[in-house]
Amino acid sequence: MSEIRFRNAAHRDFFLESMMKCRVNDCYHRAFFYVMGIAGETRQNINAMFDFKTDCIKPEGMHAGWQTSGTVKVCHLAFNLWNGYAEEGREKLFTPEELFCCEFAPYFMEGIKARYPEYCRDLPTPKKQAEHTR
């Protein structure tokens, strides 16, 4: 994760602290805590969204009073990357069209890379094709 972009120092610190607190270093946890750390509100309310003792997400936190339109998107993506979660009857809110139209989109992409590293590796630079003469 050394090449991943963090939004700011608070985002990076939250990610590192959460990873140490949960003590599981896999792509699910890395993606979840990376995405949940993007916004200050989700960082401050992580215990309303994740149970560190049982290592489970808390979907009921999605409807808490502190949630904003932006933090809901953060939580939706984090939950979806965790285990494919999409709230029944509200699946449309979990689509890329809904999630990515916000200021957090560049960081959402980093979360996706963290979750699917085997599919998101850098592609080799294409070889320059020789010009054909006619």
Side-chain angles (χ1 to χ4, degrees), residues 60-71:
E60 61 275 10
M62 208 71 80
H63 303 287
W66 58 268
Q67 291 277 17
T68 66
S69 60
T71 61

Side-chain angles (χ1 to χ4, degrees), residues 79-108:
F79 280 27
N80 192 269
L81 292 173
W82 176 258
N83 65 0
Y85 177 86
E87 189 175 345
E88 190 174 330
R90 302 182 72 173
E91 294 87 356
K92 184 180 185 309
L93 298 176
F94 290 77
T95 63
E97 181 179 12
E98 289 294 321
L99 294 176
F100 281 79
C101 57
C102 72
E103 65 181 299
F104 303 129
Y107 303 100
F108 287 174

